[in-house]
Amino acid sequence: PGKVIDPYRNDQHLRLHPDRYRPRRADTHFAYSEDSGAFSHAPLRCVGVGKCRRLDGGTMCPSFMVTREEKHTTRGRARMLFEMMQGEEIARGWRDRAVFESLELCLSCKGCKKDCPVGVDMATYKAEFLSHYYKARLRPRVAYALGLIFLWARIGSLVPNLVNLALRTPGVSTLIKRAVGVAEQRPAPPLAPETLRHWFDRRHKSSRGGARVVLWPDTFTNHFQPEVGAAAVEVLEAAGYSVAVPP
């Protein structure tokens, strides 16, 4: 009843009831140009097909594959954000702890954007939510440890051997990881004895005067794996390009 016989009217039991659907308006960091420019419209992309609940194949959704909890599916998270913007079941908005816990295990891998039939982009929604959730609040220690890694790596590269020794020394390494909120079981990546920028500046330039290309020295290539960037320079120069590394 209600489905096959005695059906409900077309204007009954609507998710977006014309008289009751009044989502919050919000100033956002992202544009949501494909969602009418509104964050409240973005979670409506999810139509509930549940492809994010699969346990084999594809990328979406790794956290659900571990917990098997609906709140850790892309669909569950989209529903939580919908309810948050509606403001009835979830009244605290950007500061709601239940929404935070739902998004907390999202790896921001963007697997949902690729695998979801309607392109739900939970990584962007999570970034938007957290920016509001932590407004005027301190973030967890690990956010500063990893979010500012470009700064720590730049300082550490002044004495890389000393830093690497500290990160390898039992006890000292444990204290450092506890201080920054990183799991003790995780090995810290060693700093390279020489950064990519320093290697590039001191080497003999073998440019053949070809078209100029800029090689961007990201934090990890510059400070942790400069051999990758050096190989890229050599390949580009062998192809006849003039390589520049910005300061």
Side-chain angles (χ1 to χ4, degrees), residues 2-244:
K3 297 290 194 278
V4 180
I5 60 173
D6 301 325
Y8 299 121
R9 299 193 313 273
N10 289 342
D11 61 352
Q12 286 181 294
H13 304 291
L14 299 178
R15 181 184 182 190
L16 308 180
H17 195 282
D19 297 329
R20 293 196 299 272
Y21 179 60
R22 296 287 186 270
R24 302 170 188 261
R25 296 181 179 273
D27 293 328
T28 58
H29 299 278
F30 296 97
Y32 305 102
S33 55
E34 297 180 358
D35 293 293
S36 304
F39 180 79
S40 60
H41 194 271
L44 293 178
R45 281 178 170 269
C46 177
V47 293
V49 297
K51 191 176 180 181
C52 47
R53 288 188 61 89
R54 67 184 178 192
L55 299 175
D56 58 331
T59 305
M60 180 179 67
C61 177
S63 50
F64 168 74
M65 292 179 186
V66 174
T67 68
R68 310 293 174 88
E69 294 280 353
E70 173 69 12
K71 69 178 181 179
H72 294 138
T73 64
T74 302
R75 178 176 70 179
R77 289 167 175 147
R79 181 68 189 186
M80 293 282 275
L81 291 170
F82 166 80
E83 295 288 359
M84 181 191 80
M85 297 308 292
Q86 181 71 341
E88 294 178 356
E89 299 298 325
I90 298 177
R92 294 199 65 199
W94 300 112
R95 291 299 179 92
D96 193 272
R97 187 67 187 175
V99 181
F100 175 87
E101 291 174 355
S102 175
L103 292 169
E104 188 174 22
L105 295 185
C106 169
L107 302 180
S108 298
C109 66
K110 286 190 176 284
C112 50
K113 188 175 183 179
K114 180 178 73 72
D115 289 359
C116 177
V118 290
V120 171
D121 184 4
M122 195 54 62
T124 298
Y125 309 162
K126 177 182 179 180
E128 185 72 58
F129 175 82
L130 290 180
S131 68
H132 294 276
Y133 182 85
Y134 282 116
K135 186 175 182 180
R137 285 177 168 178
L138 287 175
R139 289 176 178 263
R141 288 169 295 161
V142 70
Y144 298 102
L146 301 183
L148 298 176
I149 194 169
F150 69 94
L151 178 60
W152 312 135
R154 190 177 301 170
I155 296 172
S157 67
L158 299 175
V159 284
N161 293 333
L162 181 60
V163 172
N164 291 337
L165 177 63
L167 293 175
R168 289 196 305 266
T169 303
V172 177
S173 175
T174 299
L175 288 175
I176 293 173
K177 291 173 184 177
R178 285 180 181 176
V180 300
V182 174
E184 296 174 25
Q185 299 87 342
R186 298 290 291 178
L191 286 163
E194 182 179 45
T195 66
L196 173 63
R197 280 199 181 100
H198 187 266
W199 171 86
F200 186 83
D201 289 340
R202 71 169 178 79
R203 66 190 286 272
H204 173 69
K205 305 294 191 299
S206 57
S207 171
R208 300 176 183 176
R212 187 168 184 263
V213 296
V214 175
L215 180 68
W216 178 257
D218 67 273
T219 295
F220 294 94
T221 304
N222 189 42
H223 293 285
F224 298 99
Q225 294 183 304
E227 67 277 6
V228 175
V233 170
E234 292 169 356
V235 168
L236 288 166
E237 289 182 343
Y241 292 98
S242 174
V243 181

